[in-house]
Structures are given as C-alpha cells and as structure tokens.
Amino acid sequence: MAEAHDTGKLLGVNKEFLPEFVYGGIDGSITTFAVVAGATGANLDIPVVIILGFANLIADGFSMSVGNFFSTKASLDSYDKNKNIEYWEIENKRETEIEEIRQIYRNKGFKGELLEQVVEVITSDKDVWVETMMKEELEMTKDRKSPYQTAGMTFFSFLLIGFIPLAAYVYALVFETSKQNLFIYACVLTGLAFCIIGVLKSMVNQKNAIRGIAETLFLGGIAAVLAYFAGAVLENLFR
C-alpha cells in the first residue's frame, strides 16, 4: 500500500489502469478456468486442454480488448462532440449560455453580487466556460486514458491472470511430471488468483475486500462447476 501511495502503482500496475486490469483479469481467469474445468470433465488429454486454454486466452482476450477500445473511443468521441456544441452555443447563443451558468451557480447557493462575480469570471474565458458547462450541465468529464492504453491493459491482464489456470498443465507437459491431481492444482492456483483479483476489485469499487474475494470465488466456482459437468455430459454422449 505504501508503494501505491508513493508511486501511484499497485503490484506494478499504474492505479489509473487498475479497473481495466481487474476486469480483464476477472474475465481471463474465470473463462480460462471454465475451459480447463470443461476439458477435465470431458477427460481430454493435457495437450488438448492447453490448446483449448490458449485458444480461449488469445481469442477472448482480444475480443474483450477490442470491445474496451471501442467503448472508450465512443466515450471520448461523445465528449468531443458535446464540447464542440458548447463552443458553438457560446458563440451563437451567448446570453442563453450566460443565463445557464448563472442558474447553475444560483442552484449552488450563490446570490447577488457574488453570483454575478462568479458568472463574470467564468464567462470571461471560453475554455473555462466550456469546461464548466461540460461538468456542471452535461455531467461529462474526459477520460485521460486513450483507447489504446485501456485496450492494451485489458488484453495484458486477460493473458496474465488467465494463464494461471493453465499453469499446472503447462508445467506437467514441459517437465513431464505426474499428471495426477492436475485439476486440483489448477483449482488452488485459480483460487489464489481469484483472491488477488477480488482484493483489487474491492479497491476499485471501494468495497469490503472479503466481499470482493467472496464474489469472485463464487462466480468463478459457478462457471467452473457448470463447465465441468457440461464437459462430462458431452463426453458421455459422444463416447
């Protein structure tokens, strides 16, 4: 926590991008673990589990990052569009816009000479005027993060955290170790990942950390159970 206070980072991640890291990690870990659980339920060989897992990581991670990119871009485009409208209205409907500023600060409790001074100061600078209208009238603020940055962090987090459920299988294949209890190891590793992500999620949402961990474990567990039994049922049907 001291590191986060001093440098603006937590676990090496800039706190500004913590929401993207958290939600990319949640989706990555849950969906990949569901793939592993389904493949285990279907009694698939380790190479097949790894292939399915990495296919999910790349495809779903890219899809999620693309969705994040367009969502952020749409938000920025909407902000810029409305900002241009405000500039036009200041140029062409000046008195109306002045009255809107006056009404905004009247509603905040300003009166008389003080109110007029505030209106005069704000309307004397077009940029300040527009920024005030954007925030106070339209309740819009511009996201400082670019669509490329948010998409990149989402994809990175999806790959990093989403790999954890596969780690035991990759280790067993590379080092030719015992294949027994691999799914149990994957469950333990994924549970730890859920706990970390749950804590980070609670920081983003400013909620209790225990609640964040419990929610993440619960949702991940449901996804895994459903996938496992779906795999088992399908494996019996096509046996």
Side-chain angles (χ1 to χ4, degrees):
M1 291 299 292
E3 181 188 2
H5 179 75
D6 294 335
T7 67
K9 292 186 177 182
L10 185 67
L11 300 178
V13 177
N14 191 317
K15 289 204 298 181
E16 187 178 14
F17 296 98
L18 194 56
E20 287 78 20
F21 184 86
V22 167
Y23 294 113
I26 288 175
D27 201 30
S29 56
I30 289 178
T31 58
T32 306
F33 186 51
V35 169
V36 170
T40 302
N43 292 317
L44 300 181
D45 292 334
I46 291 179
V48 178
V49 175
I50 293 174
I51 290 171
L52 292 176
F54 274 102
N56 170 78
L57 275 179
I58 301 300
D60 282 4
F62 182 75
S63 175
M64 187 177 183
S65 64
V66 168
N68 187 293
F69 174 88
F70 284 115
S71 175
T72 304
K73 188 174 186 302
S75 177
L76 292 174
D77 289 344
S78 176
Y79 182 90
D80 290 338
K81 177 183 178 181
N82 282 280
K83 189 172 184 179
N84 289 332
I85 291 174
E86 288 298 328
Y87 273 111
W88 183 89
E89 289 180 344
I90 286 174
E91 291 290 343
N92 297 274
K93 299 180 179 180
R94 183 178 179 85
E95 293 305 318
T96 300
E97 294 299 298
I98 289 176
E99 184 56 36
E100 287 182 356
I101 287 290
R102 182 177 289 110
Q103 186 60 46
I104 287 171
Y105 283 90
R106 183 181 291 119
N107 292 338
K108 291 178 180 290
F110 290 83
K111 299 177 181 178
E113 185 178 349
L114 179 57
L115 173 61
E116 295 307 317
Q117 288 176 352
V118 170
V119 172
E120 182 179 355
V121 169
I122 291 175
T123 57
S124 64
D125 186 315
K126 286 184 180 180
D127 293 332
V128 173
W129 191 351
V130 168
E131 289 298 331
T132 302
M133 296 298 287
M134 293 295 293
K135 182 178 180 181
E136 301 293 344
E137 182 187 31
L138 302 180
E139 298 182 346
M140 297 181 70
T141 56
K142 189 169 186 177
D143 196 337
R144 295 181 298 169
K145 298 175 288 186
S146 77
Y148 297 99
Q149 290 174 318
T150 58
M153 179 55 71
T154 300
F155 189 52
F156 168 74
S157 175
F158 194 102
L159 295 181
L160 178 67
I161 308 300
F163 172 74
I164 292 176
L166 289 171
Y169 291 86
V170 173
Y171 183 88
L173 182 67
V174 172
F175 296 99
E176 298 181 353
T177 59
S178 173
K179 299 179 181 180
Q180 293 183 341
N181 301 321
L182 282 182
F183 185 59
I184 294 177
Y185 297 146
C187 289
V188 172
L189 290 173
T190 305
L192 292 175
F194 285 167
C195 289
I196 294 172
I197 290 297
V199 170
L200 295 178
K201 182 168 74 74
S202 68
M203 294 177 64
V204 171
N205 297 333
Q206 297 183 343
K207 293 183 178 180
N208 183 274
I210 301 301
R211 180 178 177 180
I213 293 172
E215 288 177 348
T216 309
L217 285 172
F218 178 71
L219 293 175
I222 290 178
V225 169
L226 292 175
Y228 182 89
F229 284 106
V233 170
L234 291 174
E235 193 270 341
N236 288 328
L237 287 176
F238 295 103
R239 179 179 297 176

